């Protein structure tokens, strides 16, 4: 059985306290629902940096932007239930 690709992507950068908070919530919700997530540091990709540097952390669900700045656990659960 091939594992499913992560449904949640978290864009972050080092030293971002909001990113730390978002990571904690996303880790809890994805573990609870049996999902996975991937984290990408925007400083490693100039295009991501140019697009999102003022909005991080940015959360994507199934490839669509879901949240920025803060992650609401209940909203994330609802998005992953679809």
């Amino acid at each position: 059985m091939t594992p499913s690709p992560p449904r949640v992507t978290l864009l972050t950068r080092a030293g971002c306290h909001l990113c730390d908070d978002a990571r904690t919530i996303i880790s809890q919700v994805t573990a609870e629902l049996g999902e996975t997530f991937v984290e990408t540091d925007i400083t490693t990709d100039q295009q991501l940096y140019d697009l999102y540097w003022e909005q991080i952390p940015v959360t994507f669900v199934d490839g669509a932007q879901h949240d920025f700045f803060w992650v609401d656990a209940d909203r994330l659960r609802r998005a992953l239930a679809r």
Side-chain angles (χ1 to χ4, degrees):
M1 178 181 228
T2 305
S4 300
R7 293 186 59 202
V8 179
T9 300
L10 174 62
L11 300 183
T12 65
R13 70 169 170 75
C16 168
H17 72 282
L18 292 176
C19 299
D20 296 337
D21 295 344
R23 182 182 308 106
T24 299
I25 293 168
I26 292 169
S27 293
Q28 291 170 348
V29 171
T30 55
E32 170 187 311
L33 299 177
E35 298 288 349
T36 57
F37 78 99
V38 64
E39 187 172 333
T40 302
D41 183 334
I42 65 167
T43 64
T44 65
D45 182 312
Q46 189 63 48
Q47 184 176 7
L48 289 177
Y49 183 84
D50 291 344
L51 288 170
Y52 298 110
W53 71 275
E54 290 184 312
Q55 296 179 9
I56 61 158
V58 181
T59 308
F60 290 82
V61 174
D62 296 327
Q65 187 171 340
H66 176 73
D67 272 322
F68 65 97
F69 295 137
W70 297 276
V71 177
D72 179 276
D74 290 331
R75 185 168 183 269
L76 180 58
R77 280 186 197 93
R78 285 191 303 272
L80 290 170
R82 293 184 197 138

